[in-house]
Amino acid sequence: MPQEFVRSLNDLDFSKRTPLSYRLHIDVPLLLLIAILCLAGLVILFSASGGNEAMVERQAIHMGVGFVVMVVVAQFDPRFYTHWGFLAYIAGVGMLIAVLFMGTEGKGATRWLDLPGLPAFQPSEILKLAVPIMLSWYLTRYHLPPRFKHIAISFVFLAIPFVLILKQPDLGTSLLIAISGIFVIFLAGMSWALILGLVALVLMLAPALWIFVMREYQKQRVLTFLNPESDRFGSGWNIIQSKTAIGSGGLEGKGYMLGTQAQLDFLPESHTDFIVAVLAEEMGYIGVVVLIVLYLAITSRGLMIAARARESFGRLLAGSLILTFFIYVFVNIGMVSGILPVVGVPLPLVSYGGTSIVTLMAGFGLLMSISTHRKL
Amino acid sequence: MAETQSIKDRAGEKSLFFGRMLFAVFVIFLLVGALLARMFYLQIVQHDVYATLSTENRVQVEPLNPTRGLIYDRNGVLLAENVPSHNLQLVLERVKNLDDTLATIRAILPISDYEEDRFRTRIERKRRPYEPVVLKENLSEEEISRVAVNRFFLTGVEINATLSRRYPFGSSFAHVVGYVGKINETEMKANDPTQYAGTYHIGKTGVEKTYERDLLGTPGSQLIETNAQGRVLRVLEKNMPTPGIDLTLYLDSELQLLAESLMTDTRGAVVAMDPKTGGILAMVSTPGFDPNAFVTGISNDDYAVLRDSRDVPFLNRATRGLYPPASTIKPFLALGALAAKATTWNYKVPDPGFYILPTDETIKKRDWKEGGHANFVDLMDAIIESCDTYFYDLAFRMKLEAMHDSLEKFGFGMNTTLDVGNMRTGINPSRDWKKARHGFSWFAGDSVNLGIGQGYILVNPVQMAVATTTLVNNGEWIVPKLVDTASAPIRSALNDNIPESLKLPKSDWDKMKRAMRDVLHSSKGTARGTGYGSKFLMAGKTGTAQTFSLGADEVYEAADIDERLRDHGWFTGFAPYEDPSIVVTVFMENGEHGSAMAPIARQMFESWILRGDKR
């Protein structure tokens, strides 16, 4: 009864007090922060691409599409996604299996699915969102904290796309998808004892993973990470050059468009995965701190949305999405600065790339949906 | 499942979630702290290290090698020039797989094992980043185009046009001009590396070595900005190199080529000098070798053939071949004896065909002429007929010290030339020398042997020519030299080892020259046939040196022991007699007799003198 009462009060307020942004299902602080990050990303990309206007233009279009997707996604009530998440998960896994048989190869990996009548895309992108949605939905069907059985089933849900993407092979994406699922399970309240047990298990399985699962190039990346000097002109080149770019930037940087490492092609992948090195070289430590603060602000806003979500599903989903977003940032900057192995993770909204931006924006759309559908 | 939903503990779920969130926030702050600390470490703490790395990455100093100075003969004929040469080189930093690339190249061009071995050695050496390594030199036009067509498959392979040293006359000037070759490890350590930053060659012998510092020039440099592929984006700064100094030698290529042809298939040397300037007009040592082979690097097999040849083509017999001077020493000893008052022009020696040492009757020395030259022989005849008995007696009375000193005044036992490098100075014996070298005292018999240019004395053909020049100039020293003029002041360290002059009245010099003229023109002269029909008068002295055994560096081979045991032939002389314009010394190993050398000298004289003003 009191619930009914509250809802009727809210319904009364709806037309008068609710701000326009709420009715449009837009979270203004998040929107502003994302807009600033996108603009900063375009500015950095312009320099990182060596003043390539066409590239910046394409990236702006990606972002525009991303914004549209974000706003559209935000219009639906989170409950809507509880149903579609499961379907998306099934479809995504089906397409991953299809990739194994009819995928398009590129750079030594089979990741793309080129279905007739559709633009080529990576099914793994769908799962970046489908996995957390699916797991949030599955776990919130029961009491929280989840029981062991449900956690075990969740890990099976997680393991299927993880293994399929790992086989492509795409270690970075498979790990990040696994992490997004693990965040859901963690936030749902998996017991610390279980967490510790799982960590111990992983540590024990790691040698087996090294021997039986990891591909030669993946092993090489880890080895290079551990000792970049070992192959100065081969795989160690990237790390050495990016560290040189970052270090030579100093406090204030060499100036916009004046980074010699990036502008003279010493820095590999300067417009995609290693773009933060361009910022560090040209804008210095100050630029890096500003960027990290910006990411921290978005993360904070995301966490706030998660905390204020109407129900557990929204909390878990929002929490998982925003923590995964932060992990993207951490892994990217960590690998470029040489504290993590190079796993091929783009810097969110700054690295050049179409699909990753659209997926990210769809994720923010989900956050906005959760943020603006708080009232029952 | 809807009923499960309704009985959920909303508050409990929320607080559980907040607990987990708090933990997540804590971890986030840890991770952000780690990133900021890492960036701080790289950008602030280690900034200097990486700033240097970045600058080195981007900016490279590239040497600009100077063009090596040219070498001309007295008439402007090029003896050493620089010709464009195309080399195939690899930038290892850009080559993805060296073995694959080499296989691709081998399919296009023939690469010899020698070239590949040399390349493998070179890549082990210390290099600047992106410094190319040469694989094959002197590509032909066809080879260049074949590489160009396949360029797409040859990342990191480039063709570089450089200037390569070339000696247009091949073997003719091999010993005197010398040659340049690849800088070896020893030379690399001995020289200033910045001087040789872009140069891979260094003068190894001859003028190329003596004047290395001047011929080399000073390298320039350019500061270039490159991208990661090593492609030069722009030149930031450029210091042009100073080209090497061009040298004009006294050498006359016509005389040099003539001398070489006259000495075909012999082992010997010819040295010609201008007595007025001291300039060396010709310096030939036979057999020769092609110096061009050393510029690009000679293969071990080819080198071994030259090195192991028993004719020793690498030996510059003009400067490093040491032989007993035999009778050619007589004019110089006689002039020394006149100065030491050990003899006069009127003093006569009985000549029964042998000489018995007055202090030791067991020592009996033969004259080369059985039965002797005459009952009594004076100095003039002793020179003309090359009487040994006279000079045994002269040596005995003159004593070692006076002989040693007077021979030194003609430059024996030392290098008196300005710029003929790497000379073996031979032996002008003394008591101390013998004691130190052989552990015995000097005996009177040794002096007597020295009197006829045998025994311990050893000279090289250049020394003989220099001594003859000094005789022509009445004992006045004129510094012997190869280089006449240079396009800029010379900086190379040159020799200035000039002995004291022998002081004698002009009449003594004139008489000696007259005696030497009669060697060629009188009926008694040892080379009397040579002067016949000549358009000008010549003067000279023959010598026939006994060979007691094969040289230490030669292999005993029974098949041609006879040929190798024959006497060495000498001739040294000048022309025209009245106003000498050329001195010629001819030496031939196992040439049998000095008189056989005189016709060679005559042809040299004629080539020079009859050309007149055209030379």
Side-chain angles (χ1 to χ4, degrees):
Chain A
M1 254 334 173
Q3 294 254 342
E4 286 295 315
F5 175 69
V6 170
R7 195 161 74 184
S8 65
L9 268 182
N10 276 345
D11 285 347
L12 279 175
D13 272 1
F14 192 76
S15 54
K16 287 180 186 170
R17 298 246 196 103
T18 314
L20 179 69
S21 64
Y22 192 92
R23 276 180 279 150
L24 291 175
H25 301 291
I26 286 167
D27 185 90
V28 177
L30 188 59
L31 181 79
L32 281 177
L33 288 169
I34 291 170
I36 292 169
L37 183 61
C38 282
L39 280 177
L42 290 177
V43 169
I44 299 168
L45 181 67
F46 184 70
S47 173
S49 64
N52 187 338
E53 286 172 24
M55 186 184 276
V56 174
E57 207 170 284
R58 281 199 301 277
Q59 178 83 335
I61 292 168
H62 296 151
M63 287 172 174
V65 171
F67 269 98
V68 172
V69 169
M70 178 178 79
V71 171
V72 170
V73 169
Q75 302 311 307
F76 298 92
D77 189 283
R79 281 181 185 169
F80 171 83
Y81 296 104
T82 57
H83 310 297
W84 287 100
F86 185 71
L87 277 176
Y89 176 85
I90 297 295
V93 168
M95 282 187 278
L96 281 179
I97 292 166
V99 163
L100 283 183
F101 297 105
M102 48 188 286
T104 319
E105 279 195 47
K107 287 188 183 175
T110 313
R111 296 174 186 172
W112 296 79
L113 193 58
D114 199 353
L115 294 174
L118 280 173
F121 69 104
Q122 299 187 33
S124 55
E125 291 294 325
I126 297 176
L127 287 152
K128 283 182 182 171
L129 295 176
V131 165
I133 295 173
M134 155 83 184
L135 289 183
S136 300
W137 165 76
Y138 175 74
L139 287 174
T140 50
R141 293 173 70 215
Y142 311 99
H143 281 288
L144 297 180
R147 281 189 282 166
F148 180 78
K149 185 181 95 178
H150 299 135
I151 290 174
I153 291 170
S154 299
F155 271 103
V156 172
F157 283 137
L158 196 55
I160 295 165
F162 175 77
V163 170
L164 288 172
I165 297 168
L166 192 65
K167 283 202 91 101
Q168 288 182 349
D170 188 348
L171 181 66
T173 306
S174 61
L175 279 176
L176 284 163
I177 286 175
I179 282 169
S180 71
I182 288 166
F183 282 147
V184 175
I185 301 169
F186 168 77
L187 291 172
M190 177 183 180
S191 76
W192 288 107
L194 261 178
I195 292 170
L196 289 175
L198 201 67
V199 168
L201 188 71
V202 167
L203 287 180
M204 285 193 305
L205 283 177
L209 194 74
W210 177 268
I211 295 164
F212 299 112
V213 182
M214 282 174 78
R215 303 291 178 95
E216 205 43 56
Y217 85 97
Q218 292 166 336
K219 290 182 187 177
Q220 192 56 49
R221 279 185 185 176
V222 176
L223 289 175
T224 303
F225 160 68
L226 294 174
N227 183 16
E229 301 286 333
S230 65
D231 186 7
R232 205 165 184 325
F233 292 106
S235 36
W237 171 266
N238 292 15
I239 293 175
I240 292 169
Q241 294 300 336
S242 76
K243 275 163 69 179
T244 306
I246 294 168
S248 65
L251 180 66
E252 295 176 349
K254 296 177 183 171
Y256 185 61
M257 298 286 286
L258 295 176
T260 50
Q261 285 287 108
Q263 304 298 342
L264 301 176
D265 292 350
F266 283 99
L267 193 64
E269 305 284 333
S270 63
H271 62 282
T272 55
D273 292 356
F274 282 78
I275 197 163
V276 77
V278 179
L279 172 81
E281 188 185 17
E282 299 187 347
M283 309 290 201
Y285 191 61
I286 294 170
V288 171
V289 170
V290 168
L291 185 79
I292 290 177
V293 166
L294 194 54
Y295 279 119
L296 211 50
I298 292 174
T299 308
S300 308
R301 182 64 194 169
L303 290 172
M304 213 181 284
I305 289 170
R308 283 159 50 179
R310 184 178 59 197
E311 52 201 358
S312 293
F313 170 75
R315 270 200 293 273
L316 293 191
L317 180 59
S320 162
L321 288 175
I322 202 66
L323 289 179
T324 309
F325 171 80
F326 174 77
I327 285 300
Y328 268 76
V329 176
F330 175 74
V331 170
N332 178 272
I333 299 180
M335 80 178 188
V336 173
S337 62
I339 54 174
L340 290 175
V342 177
V343 286
V345 173
L347 186 63
L349 299 182
V350 177
S351 287
Y352 179 79
T355 42
S356 70
I357 285 179
V358 174
T359 313
L360 264 169
M361 293 299 251
F364 284 123
L366 286 173
L367 279 173
M368 288 195 176
S369 159
I370 295 162
S371 165
T372 59
H373 291 91
R374 285 205 301 273
K375 295 168 181 128
L376 285 165
Chain B
M1 289 292 169
E3 56 280 352
T4 346
Q5 184 87 13
S6 62
I7 53 164
K8 271 162 66 167
D9 178 2
R10 286 180 173 277
E13 280 183 13
K14 209 162 179 171
S15 75
L16 179 67
F17 181 80
F18 279 127
R20 293 297 161 104
M21 282 276 277
L22 220 58
F23 180 79
V25 168
F26 171 70
V27 173
I28 286 172
F29 274 100
L30 272 185
L31 297 183
V32 166
L35 286 185
L36 290 176
R38 174 64 177 174
M39 287 296 193
F40 185 85
Y41 174 75
L42 289 178
Q43 299 197 275
I44 313 293
V45 180
Q46 295 272 72
H47 171 64
D48 288 346
V49 176
Y50 287 110
T52 314
L53 265 180
S54 156
T55 311
E56 279 174 1
N57 235 350
R58 170 177 75 93
V59 178
Q60 288 166 26
V61 182
E62 202 183 58
L64 294 172
N65 40 332
T67 22
R68 197 172 173 85
L70 304 173
I71 302 174
Y72 299 98
D73 89 337
R74 64 187 302 117
N75 298 315
V77 177
L78 265 175
L79 304 181
E81 59 182 335
N82 303 312
V83 293
S85 153
H86 292 86
N87 300 338
L88 189 73
Q89 53 190 30
L90 276 73
V91 178
L92 296 181
E93 283 84 351
R94 291 171 58 199
V95 174
K96 286 200 182 69
N97 183 321
L98 185 59
D99 290 328
D100 288 356
T101 306
L102 284 179
T104 316
I105 294 171
R106 231 181 272 113
I108 303 169
L109 307 171
I111 302 290
S112 69
D113 291 346
Y114 167 64
E115 284 165 332
E116 185 162 346
D117 288 351
R118 197 176 52 174
F119 174 75
R120 299 263 181 208
T121 324
R122 282 177 188 165
I123 58 180
E124 298 303 321
R125 293 219 187 123
K126 202 170 174 282
R127 281 174 300 119
R128 295 185 307 275
Y130 295 101
E131 182 179 338
V133 182
V134 173
L135 172 62
K136 189 178 173 70
E137 287 168 80
N138 272 328
L139 297 184
S140 67
E141 290 290 332
E142 195 204 328
E143 288 169 331
I144 293 168
S145 45
R146 261 189 269 165
V147 173
V149 166
N150 291 286
R151 177 153 277 171
F152 181 74
F153 308 102
L154 296 170
T155 316
V157 179
E158 49 189 47
I159 290 173
N160 180 39
T162 59
L163 290 175
S164 167
R165 199 68 156 169
R166 202 172 78 90
Y167 303 101
F169 290 98
S171 64
S172 305
F173 292 84
H175 290 111
V176 57
V177 170
Y179 57 85
V180 297
K182 292 277 149 61
I183 302 173
N184 63 32
E185 301 282 346
T186 328
E187 288 159 340
M188 218 183 300
K189 278 177 202 140
N191 285 298
D192 179 4
T194 59
Q195 287 292 308
Y196 288 88
T199 308
Y200 302 98
H201 291 87
I202 189 167
K204 298 276 186 181
T205 61
V207 173
E208 292 273 31
K209 184 177 186 178
T210 309
Y211 288 95
E212 169 64 23
R213 211 177 140 193
D214 295 298
L215 289 165
L216 175 66
T218 311
S221 62
Q222 57 181 0
L223 224 55
I224 49 168
E225 188 169 314
T226 57
N227 66 7
Q229 280 76 50
R231 195 155 49 87
V232 178
L233 298 180
R234 63 195 165 117
V235 176
L236 300 173
E237 207 181 298
K238 200 168 188 174
N239 297 314
M240 292 307 287
T242 315
I245 291 171
D246 296 343
L247 300 176
T248 302
L249 309 185
Y250 283 104
L251 287 181
D252 179 76
S253 50
E254 216 168 294
L255 271 183
Q256 181 86 5
L257 294 175
L258 174 68
E260 195 197 21
S261 72
L262 293 171
M263 298 293 285
T264 307
D265 293 331
T266 67
R267 299 177 302 280
V270 174
V271 178
M273 284 178 70
D274 179 347
K276 294 192 165 65
T277 59
I280 294 168
L281 301 174
M283 188 195 283
V284 170
S285 171
T286 54
F289 58 91
D290 184 4
N292 291 307
F294 291 86
V295 179
T296 50
I298 186 167
S299 77
N300 287 337
D301 291 348
D302 293 347
Y303 182 76
V305 169
L306 286 170
R307 183 196 56 209
D308 299 338
S309 164
R310 52 198 304 250
D311 289 342
V312 213
F314 288 144
L315 174 65
N316 182 355
R317 288 175 164 80
T319 60
R320 294 184 61 78
L322 296 180
Y323 311 94
S327 301
T328 47
I329 204 75
K330 286 173 182 167
F332 311 109
L333 272 181
L335 288 163
L338 288 168
K341 312 279 188 233
T343 192
T344 64
W345 291 100
N346 299 321
Y347 177 78
K348 287 185 172 147
V349 173
D351 179 17
F354 55 86
Y355 174 76
I356 293 171
L357 199 66
T359 53
D360 183 351
E361 292 191 11
T362 60
I363 295 182
K364 182 182 171 185
K365 292 280 176 184
R366 291 174 179 283
D367 193 291
W368 63 270
K369 192 171 181 180
E370 224 172 313
H373 297 267
N375 286 341
F376 286 92
V377 179
D378 68 1
L379 180 53
M380 192 67 99
D381 285 342
I383 294 289
I384 298 167
E385 297 182 40
S386 199
C387 175
D388 288 346
T389 310
Y390 185 96
F391 278 89
Y392 292 138
D393 175 71
L394 179 139
F396 178 76
R397 283 181 294 104
M398 193 177 171
K399 304 281 181 291
L400 173 67
E401 282 70 23
M403 286 195 279
H404 174 87
D405 290 352
S406 54
L407 288 178
E408 193 164 271
K409 286 171 183 169
F410 286 102
F412 292 111
M414 61 207 294
N415 182 5
T416 57
T417 65
L418 180 72
D419 54 6
V420 176
N422 200 25
M423 188 185 276
R424 283 178 75 191
T425 52
I427 294 156
N428 177 12
S430 65
R431 280 179 213 279
D432 293 343
W433 171 83
K434 190 187 173 192
K435 190 88 188 157
R437 175 73 180 77
H438 293 281
F440 299 118
S441 301
W442 186 266
F443 301 124
D446 296 330
S447 294
V448 170
N449 269 338
L450 181 57
I452 61 158
Q454 298 281 167
Y456 294 113
I457 186 165
L458 289 174
V459 306
N460 66 44
V462 166
Q463 286 174 329
M464 185 59 74
V466 168
T468 309
T469 301
T470 311
L471 185 150
V472 166
N473 289 315
N474 299 342
E476 286 298 314
W477 266 96
I478 302 233
V479 179
K481 48 193 172 285
L482 281 164
V483 170
D484 184 358
T485 53
S487 61
I490 295 291
R491 293 177 305 158
S492 298
L494 300 173
N495 190 20
D496 58 349
N497 193 9
I498 293 169
E500 250 181 87
S501 295
L502 186 73
K503 298 277 187 285
L504 270 180
K506 188 172 181 292
S507 59
D508 288 333
W509 295 104
D510 289 343
K511 278 183 184 150
M512 183 55 73
K513 287 176 201 170
R514 204 183 310 147
M516 290 171 78
R517 176 198 67 192
D518 290 347
V519 168
L520 291 117
H521 293 286
S522 91
S523 57
K524 292 186 287 181
T526 49
R528 54 194 168 273
T530 308
Y532 182 77
S534 172
K535 289 185 176 123
F536 51 86
L537 292 176
M538 300 169 273
K541 182 74 194 78
T542 59
T544 305
Q546 294 153 23
T547 56
F548 300 103
S549 61
L550 288 168
D553 52 351
E554 288 176 273
V555 182
Y556 186 89
E557 265 177 46
D560 52 9
I561 185 79
D562 287 345
E563 200 264 330
R564 300 258 162 183
L565 274 176
R566 287 174 199 157
D567 292 343
H568 296 326
W570 277 101
F571 177 86
T572 188
F574 54 89
Y577 164 69
E578 298 83 1
D579 182 20
S581 65
I582 182 169
V583 165
V584 171
T585 297
V586 180
F587 170 80
M588 198 188 287
E589 279 180 28
N590 316 114
E592 290 217 73
H593 199 272
S595 59
M597 305 301 108
I600 295 173
R602 175 176 167 171
Q603 290 200 53
M604 295 288 287
F605 291 148
E606 283 175 342
S607 163
W608 181 251
I609 292 161
L610 299 182
R611 247 188 293 159
D613 292 338
K614 277 175 277 181
R615 67 202 179 207

